[in-house]
Amino acid sequence: QVQLVESGGGLVQAGGSLRVSCVVSGRTASTYVLGWFRQAPGKEREFVAEINWSGSGVSYADSVKGRFTISKGPVKNAVNLQMNSLKYEDTAVYYCAIHYPGSSWANPNYWGRGTQVTVSS
């Protein structure tokens, strides 16, 4: 049973910072891509950032480039999303997900349950 557990959400003022983390446990494939997504009230879930398991490749949505950083560790099988210069529009439930080689974000293999990030204006 593969589980993804997010943590670190909370309430922060606009312009502040927050870090959310995701720990992957269980029998996963030896390689996978881990991504962060978010869903704001009344909106569709959207891609935020991704990192491959070697850490050699990262990518970001244009809306978060230069403000968010995805990274691995320090706990084994953990991936973090450091969010700086937060804006009101970053308010959402943040989810982590993984997809295996041959799959894609159109159909991730596993999802976490999400963690709420609220940015006050």
Side-chain angles (χ1 to χ4, degrees):
Q1 182 84 13
V2 175
Q3 286 190 315
L4 283 67
V5 179
E6 303 95 335
S7 64
L11 174 65
V12 64
Q13 287 188 329
S17 298
L18 203 61
R19 186 172 86 161
V20 291
S21 299
C22 175
V23 176
V24 181
S25 63
R27 288 192 172 188
T28 64
S30 58
T31 60
Y32 54 82
V33 181
L34 191 141
W36 282 98
F37 291 75
R38 66 187 182 186
Q39 187 167 20
K43 295 188 177 181
E44 293 188 354
R45 192 173 297 186
E46 64 175 0
F47 170 80
V48 175
E50 68 175 15
I51 186 168
N52 64 13
W53 197 237
S54 68
S56 62
V58 299
S59 65
Y60 300 92
D62 287 344
S63 59
V64 306
K65 276 181 184 176
R67 299 188 299 122
F68 290 13
T69 303
I70 190 170
S71 64
K72 292 174 56 184
V75 177
K76 184 180 178 182
N77 294 344
V79 176
N80 311 294
L81 185 69
Q82 177 67 40
M83 304 181 288
N84 298 327
S85 302
L86 281 161
K87 305 175 182 180
Y88 175 76
E89 50 266 39
D90 293 318
T91 296
V93 178
Y94 283 70
Y95 299 90
C96 62
I98 61 174
H99 78 77
Y100 292 154
S103 185
S104 72
W105 294 128
N107 189 24
N109 295 90
Y110 298 98
W111 285 100
R113 292 191 174 184
T115 185
Q116 176 71 46
V117 172
T118 302
V119 184
S120 62
S121 58

